[in-house]
Amino acid sequence: SQKIEQNSEALNIQEGKTATLTCNYTNYSPAYLQWYRQDPGRGPVFLLLIRENEKEKRKERLKVTFDTTLKQSLFHITASQPADSATYLCALRADSNYQLIWGAGTKLIIKP
Amino acid sequence: GAGVSQSPSNKVTEKGKDVELRCDPISGHTALYWYRQSLGQGLEFLIYFQGNSAPDKSGLPSDRFSAERTGGSVSTLTIQRTQQEDSAVYLCASSSIYNEQFFGPGTRLTVL
Protein backbone atom coordinates (compact mmCIF):
# COMPACT_ATOMS: atom_id res chain seq x y z
CA SER A 1 0.00 0.00 0.00
CA GLN A 2 1.06 3.57 -0.51
CA LYS A 3 2.09 5.39 2.62
CA ILE A 4 4.26 8.14 4.04
CA GLU A 5 5.85 7.72 7.44
CA GLN A 6 7.33 10.03 10.00
CA ASN A 7 8.70 9.08 13.39
CA SER A 8 5.73 9.19 15.73
CA GLU A 9 7.90 9.58 18.81
CA ALA A 10 8.81 13.06 19.94
CA LEU A 11 12.36 14.14 19.21
CA ASN A 12 14.18 15.84 22.07
CA ILE A 13 17.19 17.95 21.09
CA GLN A 14 19.47 20.16 23.15
CA GLU A 15 19.46 23.82 22.15
CA GLY A 16 22.23 24.64 19.71
CA LYS A 17 22.42 21.13 18.26
CA THR A 18 21.17 20.04 14.85
CA ALA A 19 17.75 18.41 14.75
CA THR A 20 17.13 15.88 11.99
CA LEU A 21 13.66 14.62 11.12
CA THR A 22 12.91 11.77 8.74
CA CYS A 23 10.18 11.24 6.19
CA ASN A 24 9.95 7.90 4.40
CA TYR A 25 7.53 6.91 1.70
CA THR A 26 6.66 3.80 -0.25
CA ASN A 27 5.07 3.16 -3.61
CA TYR A 28 5.08 6.77 -4.73
CA SER A 29 7.03 8.60 -7.38
CA PRO A 30 6.67 12.08 -5.98
CA ALA A 31 7.02 15.13 -8.15
CA TYR A 32 7.96 17.06 -5.04
CA LEU A 33 7.95 16.92 -1.30
CA GLN A 34 7.07 19.70 1.13
CA TRP A 35 7.77 20.33 4.80
CA TYR A 36 5.42 22.23 7.08
CA ARG A 37 5.54 23.36 10.67
CA GLN A 38 2.49 23.14 12.92
CA ASP A 39 2.15 24.77 16.30
CA PRO A 40 -0.55 23.68 18.78
CA GLY A 41 -3.93 25.07 17.86
CA ARG A 42 -2.73 26.41 14.52
CA GLY A 43 -2.79 25.30 10.92
CA PRO A 44 0.39 24.04 9.26
CA VAL A 45 2.78 26.63 7.83
CA PHE A 46 4.80 25.92 4.69
CA LEU A 47 8.58 25.81 5.12
CA LEU A 48 10.32 24.25 2.14
CA LEU A 49 9.62 22.44 -1.12
CA ILE A 50 12.09 20.12 -2.82
CA ARG A 51 11.57 18.67 -6.28
CA GLU A 52 12.40 15.16 -7.46
CA ASN A 53 15.41 16.37 -9.42
CA GLU A 54 16.87 18.27 -6.47
CA LYS A 55 19.11 16.67 -3.88
CA GLU A 56 19.15 19.46 -1.35
CA LYS A 57 17.40 22.74 -0.57
CA ARG A 58 18.35 25.30 2.07
CA LYS A 59 16.62 28.20 3.74
CA GLU A 60 18.38 29.99 6.57
CA ARG A 61 18.90 27.35 9.30
CA LEU A 62 16.79 24.78 7.48
CA LYS A 63 18.01 22.13 5.07
CA VAL A 64 16.03 19.44 3.28
CA THR A 65 17.43 16.51 1.36
CA PHE A 66 15.56 14.22 -1.00
CA ASP A 67 16.78 10.76 -1.94
CA THR A 68 14.43 9.17 -4.46
CA THR A 69 16.43 5.93 -4.38
CA LEU A 70 16.01 5.52 -0.62
CA LYS A 71 12.53 7.09 -0.85
CA GLN A 72 13.43 9.38 1.98
CA SER A 73 13.61 13.06 2.86
CA LEU A 74 15.57 14.45 5.78
CA PHE A 75 14.76 17.78 7.38
CA HIS A 76 17.54 19.47 9.35
CA ILE A 77 17.42 22.46 11.67
CA THR A 78 20.89 23.70 12.58
CA ALA A 79 21.67 25.74 15.71
CA SER A 80 18.26 24.72 17.07
CA GLN A 81 16.38 27.05 19.38
CA PRO A 82 13.50 26.45 21.82
CA ALA A 83 11.32 28.47 19.42
CA ASP A 84 11.82 25.70 16.86
CA SER A 85 9.76 23.37 19.05
CA ALA A 86 6.71 22.31 17.04
CA THR A 87 5.33 19.43 15.03
CA TYR A 88 6.86 19.08 11.57
CA LEU A 89 4.85 17.51 8.77
CA CYS A 90 6.05 16.23 5.45
CA ALA A 91 3.77 15.98 2.45
CA LEU A 92 4.37 14.73 -1.04
CA ARG A 93 2.66 15.19 -4.33
CA ALA A 94 2.63 12.24 -6.63
CA ASP A 95 3.28 13.25 -10.21
CA SER A 96 -0.11 12.01 -11.34
CA ASN A 97 -2.17 13.63 -8.64
CA TYR A 98 -2.73 17.18 -7.48
CA GLN A 99 -3.30 16.07 -3.91
CA LEU A 100 -0.72 16.23 -1.17
CA ILE A 101 -0.27 13.03 0.81
CA TRP A 102 0.54 13.91 4.41
CA GLY A 103 2.64 12.28 7.07
CA ALA A 104 1.36 12.30 10.65
CA GLY A 105 4.17 14.59 11.78
CA THR A 106 7.01 14.44 14.27
CA LYS A 107 6.96 16.54 17.42
CA LEU A 108 10.26 18.31 17.98
CA ILE A 109 11.20 19.60 21.43
CA ILE A 110 14.25 21.81 21.78
CA LYS A 111 15.44 21.98 25.36
CA PRO A 112 17.26 25.08 26.65
CA GLY B 1 -7.08 39.46 3.04
CA ALA B 2 -3.71 38.58 4.47
CA GLY B 3 -4.38 34.89 4.78
CA VAL B 4 -6.93 32.13 4.94
CA SER B 5 -9.63 32.72 7.51
CA GLN B 6 -12.07 30.26 8.99
CA SER B 7 -15.13 30.63 11.14
CA PRO B 8 -16.14 29.84 13.73
CA SER B 9 -12.91 29.11 15.56
CA ASN B 10 -14.74 26.82 17.94
CA LYS B 11 -18.07 25.07 17.61
CA VAL B 12 -19.76 22.94 20.24
CA THR B 13 -22.88 21.15 19.13
CA GLU B 14 -25.15 18.36 20.21
CA LYS B 15 -25.21 15.01 18.51
CA GLY B 16 -27.66 15.01 15.64
CA LYS B 17 -27.44 18.73 14.89
CA ASP B 18 -26.18 20.15 11.60
CA VAL B 19 -23.14 22.45 11.47
CA GLU B 20 -21.67 24.76 8.85
CA LEU B 21 -18.00 25.68 8.75
CA ARG B 22 -16.77 28.56 6.61
CA CYS B 23 -13.50 29.17 4.82
CA ASP B 24 -12.33 32.37 3.14
CA PRO B 25 -9.30 31.55 0.99
CA ILE B 26 -6.55 33.86 -0.14
CA SER B 27 -7.76 36.04 -2.98
CA GLY B 28 -6.69 34.69 -6.35
CA HIS B 29 -5.99 31.16 -5.15
CA THR B 30 -7.81 28.75 -7.42
CA ALA B 31 -7.40 25.64 -5.29
CA LEU B 32 -9.15 25.06 -1.97
CA TYR B 33 -8.82 22.04 0.30
CA TRP B 34 -10.66 20.85 3.38
CA TYR B 35 -8.90 18.56 5.85
CA ARG B 36 -9.78 17.03 9.17
CA GLN B 37 -7.26 16.54 11.94
CA SER B 38 -7.90 14.55 15.08
CA LEU B 39 -5.76 15.06 18.18
CA GLY B 40 -2.21 13.93 17.55
CA GLN B 41 -3.01 12.72 14.05
CA GLY B 42 -2.05 13.78 10.57
CA LEU B 43 -4.23 15.56 8.07
CA GLU B 44 -7.13 13.64 6.59
CA PHE B 45 -8.11 14.92 3.15
CA LEU B 46 -11.82 15.62 2.75
CA ILE B 47 -12.51 17.56 -0.44
CA TYR B 48 -10.73 19.63 -3.10
CA PHE B 49 -11.97 22.46 -5.31
CA GLN B 50 -10.05 23.70 -8.33
CA GLY B 51 -11.45 26.60 -10.31
CA ASN B 52 -14.70 25.73 -12.01
CA SER B 53 -13.95 22.01 -12.18
CA ALA B 54 -16.08 19.46 -10.39
CA PRO B 55 -14.78 19.02 -6.84
CA ASP B 56 -12.95 15.91 -5.75
CA LYS B 57 -15.11 14.56 -2.96
CA SER B 58 -13.23 11.30 -2.57
CA GLY B 59 -12.17 12.02 1.01
CA LEU B 60 -15.58 12.75 2.46
CA PRO B 61 -16.18 10.07 5.13
CA SER B 62 -19.93 9.79 4.65
CA ASP B 63 -22.89 11.34 2.86
CA ARG B 64 -23.49 13.49 5.93
CA PHE B 65 -20.59 15.62 4.76
CA SER B 66 -20.88 18.08 1.90
CA ALA B 67 -19.13 21.23 0.76
CA GLU B 68 -19.71 24.08 -1.61
CA ARG B 69 -17.55 26.79 -3.04
CA THR B 70 -19.40 29.84 -4.27
CA GLY B 71 -18.00 32.11 -6.95
CA GLY B 72 -14.67 30.36 -6.82
CA SER B 73 -13.97 31.90 -3.42
CA VAL B 74 -15.70 31.23 -0.09
CA SER B 75 -16.34 27.62 0.82
CA THR B 76 -18.72 26.07 3.31
CA LEU B 77 -18.36 22.58 4.76
CA THR B 78 -21.62 21.18 6.09
CA ILE B 79 -21.94 18.21 8.41
CA GLN B 80 -25.46 16.93 8.87
CA ARG B 81 -26.67 14.91 11.85
CA THR B 82 -23.33 15.25 13.61
CA GLN B 83 -21.87 12.31 15.49
CA GLN B 84 -19.33 12.27 18.28
CA GLU B 85 -16.71 10.82 15.95
CA ASP B 86 -16.97 14.00 13.87
CA SER B 87 -15.22 15.89 16.67
CA ALA B 88 -11.92 17.19 15.28
CA VAL B 89 -10.22 20.29 13.96
CA TYR B 90 -11.34 21.10 10.44
CA LEU B 91 -8.68 22.89 8.43
CA CYS B 92 -9.05 24.75 5.18
CA ALA B 93 -6.16 25.53 2.85
CA SER B 94 -5.84 27.39 -0.42
CA SER B 95 -3.10 27.45 -2.99
CA SER B 96 -2.12 28.37 -6.48
CA ILE B 97 -2.33 25.12 -8.34
CA TYR B 98 0.45 22.66 -7.52
CA ASN B 99 2.11 25.02 -5.08
CA GLU B 100 2.41 25.23 -1.32
CA GLN B 101 -0.80 25.30 0.66
CA PHE B 102 -1.73 28.13 2.98
CA PHE B 103 -3.81 27.04 5.93
CA GLY B 104 -6.40 28.77 8.01
CA PRO B 105 -6.41 28.50 11.80
CA GLY B 106 -9.01 25.76 11.75
CA THR B 107 -12.39 25.21 13.37
CA ARG B 108 -12.42 23.01 16.44
CA LEU B 109 -15.65 21.03 16.38
CA THR B 110 -16.86 19.29 19.50
CA VAL B 111 -19.93 17.07 19.29
CA LEU B 112 -21.43 16.28 22.67
Side-chain angles (χ1 to χ4, degrees):
Chain A
S1 62
Q2 299 175 325
K3 58 183 178 180
I4 181 168
E5 290 184 336
Q6 295 184 255
N7 194 333
S8 59
E9 295 182 5
L11 181 63
N12 289 275
I13 299 293
Q14 192 66 39
E15 181 178 8
K17 301 292 186 182
T18 296
T20 299
L21 288 76
T22 304
C23 178
N24 295 298
Y25 61 92
T26 59
N27 297 332
Y28 286 113
S29 295
Y32 59 68
L33 190 144
Q34 301 181 1
W35 283 88
Y36 289 76
R37 168 183 174 143
Q38 186 173 25
D39 292 283
R42 311 287 292 271
V45 175
F46 172 78
L47 296 174
L48 281 169
L49 178 153
I50 186 165
R51 301 187 185 281
E52 60 180 335
N53 60 348
E54 298 175 317
K55 297 293 186 184
E56 182 179 296
K57 183 73 69 77
R58 292 177 183 262
K59 179 182 177 183
E60 298 174 349
R61 294 185 295 110
L62 309 181
K63 184 178 81 170
V64 171
T65 62
F66 196 8
D67 189 325
T68 55
T69 300
L70 292 178
K71 295 186 181 295
Q72 181 181 79
S73 175
L74 299 179
F75 177 81
H76 306 271
I77 305 175
T78 58
S80 58
Q81 305 167 0
D84 296 326
S85 298
T87 295
Y88 291 85
L89 304 166
C90 68
L92 63 82
R93 176 181 162 252
D95 190 41
S96 60
N97 195 323
Y98 52 79
Q99 286 189 30
L100 285 180
I101 311 299
W102 292 83
T106 298
K107 184 175 182 179
L108 176 65
I109 302 169
I110 306 299
K111 296 184 175 181
Chain B
V4 178
S5 60
Q6 292 186 245
S7 60
S9 55
N10 281 284
K11 177 70 176 179
V12 179
T13 190
E14 293 179 348
K15 177 181 174 180
K17 301 285 189 181
D18 298 351
V19 296
E20 283 190 354
L21 313 180
R22 177 187 169 105
C23 172
D24 284 84
I26 292 174
S27 178
H29 279 184
T30 56
L32 187 148
Y33 301 78
W34 281 99
Y35 295 95
R36 179 167 70 176
Q37 188 174 34
S38 300
L39 187 64
Q41 302 297 312
L43 300 180
E44 176 187 3
F45 167 77
L46 297 177
I47 188 169
Y48 164 74
F49 296 90
Q50 172 56 47
N52 295 320
S53 302
D56 177 354
K57 304 178 181 180
S58 61
L60 295 178
S62 77
D63 59 7
R64 297 186 294 104
F65 288 72
S66 63
E68 292 184 342
R69 189 179 185 189
T70 55
S73 181
V74 172
S75 178
T76 301
L77 176 69
T78 301
I79 308 173
Q80 296 178 312
R81 304 181 303 282
T82 51
Q83 304 294 313
Q84 288 182 332
E85 60 262 29
D86 298 335
S87 296
V89 175
Y90 289 81
L91 290 162
C92 173
S94 71
S95 74
S96 300
I97 190 169
Y98 301 149
N99 289 328
E100 65 267 26
Q101 297 184 9
F102 293 83
F103 283 81
T107 294
R108 181 175 298 278
L109 175 65
T110 303
V111 182
L112 301 177

